């Protein structure tokens, strides 16, 4: 897909405008987000993603649009897994509910900037070295296997651990013990102090980098177009704040999510290895097209959701029977 600098600038400008509009309409005043509000905004962001995919179809044809939708759905499904960690972070830093949407908004912006850097680096590698797909593919297959092992381990008492950047910041910069509204930095007794609000925003943004290590190679397995990779990531991330409040209480019911994500990552990993082998001249290696990839992703997510809800309902019924028997 041939994307001019003008189109890049216009796209980034529109995304910034959407983020600003989101902030002033729904996120400027701290408040507890209701399910209705979260549902409306989630629908808005999904609709915007669909409209953008339609624009790509009109502008460049079905192939880039298909790549965008496949990448968007993949990134969106992987981002749901991020929400588990975000819940841990919110609990770790005891973020008041009225400030949680502000934390998520700026945390997601930090994550988007960091992902843009990752995407630029990945695009440079892909354009110069086709063998990097072997590495991406092997990494995704390994990640898929790791997800399955973690799901089977079923660790209940998981806790958030600060990364090196956060530990370095908290050691070097004095912080207040409590929140000071939405302020990030305050001045007390002649010295500047950071607040827990700034620390938790950085926690959200930098922790997402760990997820980017999986998601960026995954989307490069669906498309090598940097423009499609970036926009799919942007639309998936920008609706993550509302999704947090919409399905935060339902996450525990998605008991098979890790299995579904592992199948998707494993599938894309195999696709990448086959693509790398094909590029290296192996005539036996088939190329898996976007329609097939999109169908597999949607089918796996649909099956995972249905089986998760069925399993959760069964567990709830068993728990209720045990209470009655007791």
């Amino acid at each position: 897909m041939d994307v001019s600098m003008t189109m890049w600038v216009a796209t980034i400008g529109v995304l910034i405008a959407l983020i600003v509009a989101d902030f002033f309409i729904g996120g400027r005043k701290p408040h507890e987000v209701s399910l209705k509000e979260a549902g409306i905004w989630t629908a808005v962001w999904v609709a915007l993603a669909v409209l953008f995919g339609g624009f790509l179809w009109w502008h460049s044809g079905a192939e880039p649009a298909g790549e965008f939708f496949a990448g968007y759905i993949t990134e969106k499904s992987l981002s749901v897994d991020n929400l588990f960690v975000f819940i841990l972070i919110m609990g770790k830093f005891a973020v008041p509910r009225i400030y949680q949407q502000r934390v998520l908004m700026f945390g997601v912006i930090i994550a988007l900037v960091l992902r843009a850097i990752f995407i630029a680096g990945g695009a440079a590698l892909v354009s110069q070295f086709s063998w990097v797909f072997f590495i991406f593919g092997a990494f995704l297959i390994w990640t898929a296997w790791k997800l399955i092992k973690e799901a089977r381990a079923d660790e209940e008492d998981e806790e958030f651990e600060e990364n090196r950047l956060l530990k370095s910041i908290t050691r070097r910069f004095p912080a207040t013990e409590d929140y000071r509204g939405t302020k990030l930095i305050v001045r007390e007794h002649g010295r500047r102090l950071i607040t827990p609000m700034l620390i938790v925003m950085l926690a959200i943004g930098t922790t997402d980098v760990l997820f980017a290590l999986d998601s960026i190679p995954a989307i490069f397995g669906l498309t090598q177009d940097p423009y499609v990779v970036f926009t799919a990531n942007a639309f998936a991330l920008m609706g993550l704040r509302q999704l947090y409040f919409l399905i935060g209480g339902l996450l525990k019911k998605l008991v098979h999510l890790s299995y579904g994500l592992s199948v998707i990552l494993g599938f894309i990993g195999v696709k990448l290895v086959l693509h790398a082998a094909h590029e290296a001249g192996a005539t036996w290696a088939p190329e898996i097209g976007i329609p097939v990839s999109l169908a597999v992703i949607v089918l796996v997510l649909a099956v995972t959701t249905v089986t998760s809800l069925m399993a959760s309902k069964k567990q709830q019924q068993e728990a209720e029977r045990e209470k009655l028997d007791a």
Side-chain angles (χ1 to χ4, degrees):
M1 179 177 172
D2 186 21
V3 180
S4 65
M5 182 58 66
T6 302
M7 188 169 176
W8 268 107
V9 172
T11 301
I12 293 173
V14 169
L15 292 175
I16 292 174
L18 290 174
I19 292 172
V20 172
D22 185 17
F23 173 74
F24 280 101
I25 296 174
R28 186 177 183 181
K29 183 179 179 181
H31 65 282
E32 290 192 28
V33 178
S34 66
L35 283 177
K36 180 181 178 181
E37 179 183 349
I40 292 173
W41 276 104
T42 297
V44 167
W45 282 113
V46 171
L48 288 171
V50 172
L51 286 174
F52 181 78
F55 163 76
L56 281 183
W57 196 307
W58 169 80
H59 182 272
S60 302
E63 184 175 352
E67 291 175 350
F68 170 79
F69 283 120
Y72 171 74
I73 293 172
T74 300
E75 293 298 319
K76 200 70 172 177
S77 60
L78 290 171
S79 69
V80 172
D81 205 32
N82 297 21
L83 299 183
F84 287 103
V85 179
F86 289 174
I87 289 173
L88 294 177
I89 293 174
M90 294 294 187
K92 170 78 173 181
F93 293 96
V95 182
R97 287 190 62 83
I98 62 171
Y99 300 139
Q100 287 185 5
Q101 68 161 344
R102 180 68 63 88
V103 168
L104 287 168
M105 175 174 286
F106 286 95
V108 166
I109 291 173
I110 294 171
L112 184 57
V113 172
L114 294 176
R115 285 204 183 197
I117 297 171
F118 269 65
I119 291 168
L125 284 173
V126 167
S127 64
Q128 295 294 323
F129 310 104
S130 61
W131 51 262
V132 78
F133 286 116
F134 282 115
I135 298 176
F136 282 178
F139 178 75
L140 289 179
I141 293 171
W142 175 80
T143 303
W145 172 243
K146 183 181 175 184
L147 271 177
I148 292 176
K149 288 178 65 178
E150 290 175 353
R152 294 178 66 182
D154 194 23
E155 297 177 0
E156 294 289 339
D157 301 325
E158 188 178 1
E159 293 183 359
F160 170 73
E161 295 183 3
E162 297 179 3
N163 54 45
R164 290 184 179 180
L165 175 62
L166 284 178
K167 289 179 180 179
S168 175
I169 290 173
T170 52
R171 281 199 307 265
R172 297 189 179 191
F173 298 94
T176 61
E177 293 184 359
D178 54 353
Y179 288 85
R180 304 299 170 85
T182 58
K183 292 181 179 179
L184 307 181
I185 300 175
V186 296
R187 181 180 288 274
E188 290 185 356
H189 307 297
R191 63 172 184 165
R192 290 188 176 182
L193 304 174
I194 63 175
T195 68
M197 178 70 73
L198 176 59
I199 297 174
V200 72
M201 284 181 181
L202 292 173
I204 294 287
T206 56
T207 300
D208 181 78
V209 173
L210 299 176
F211 293 97
L213 295 176
D214 300 338
S215 64
I216 299 303
I219 195 169
F220 271 111
L222 298 169
T223 175
Q224 287 80 60
D225 191 321
Y227 182 79
V228 175
V229 172
F230 173 73
T231 51
N233 268 271
F235 278 101
L237 277 178
M238 287 193 301
L240 192 58
R241 175 171 64 93
Q242 290 80 8
L243 197 62
Y244 171 88
F245 295 104
L246 182 63
I247 69 171
L250 301 177
L251 285 176
K252 291 184 179 181
K253 293 186 178 182
L254 300 177
V255 293
H256 296 159
L257 177 63
S258 293
Y259 292 105
L261 295 180
S262 67
V263 171
I264 292 173
L265 290 177
F267 168 76
I268 297 175
V270 171
K271 182 179 185 296
L272 277 172
V273 171
L274 291 175
H275 175 73
H278 184 82
E279 290 291 312
T283 56
W284 54 266
E287 287 276 24
I288 302 175
I290 286 297
V292 174
S293 299
L294 186 57
V296 169
I297 292 167
V298 171
L299 179 62
V300 169
L301 289 176
V303 171
T304 299
T305 301
V306 172
T307 58
S308 292
L309 295 177
M310 291 174 62
S312 297
K313 185 177 181 180
K314 183 178 179 181
Q315 290 174 0
Q316 185 178 0
Q317 290 174 344
E318 290 177 352
E320 290 175 354
R321 281 199 296 267
E322 289 177 359
K323 286 183 179 179
L324 292 174
D325 293 340

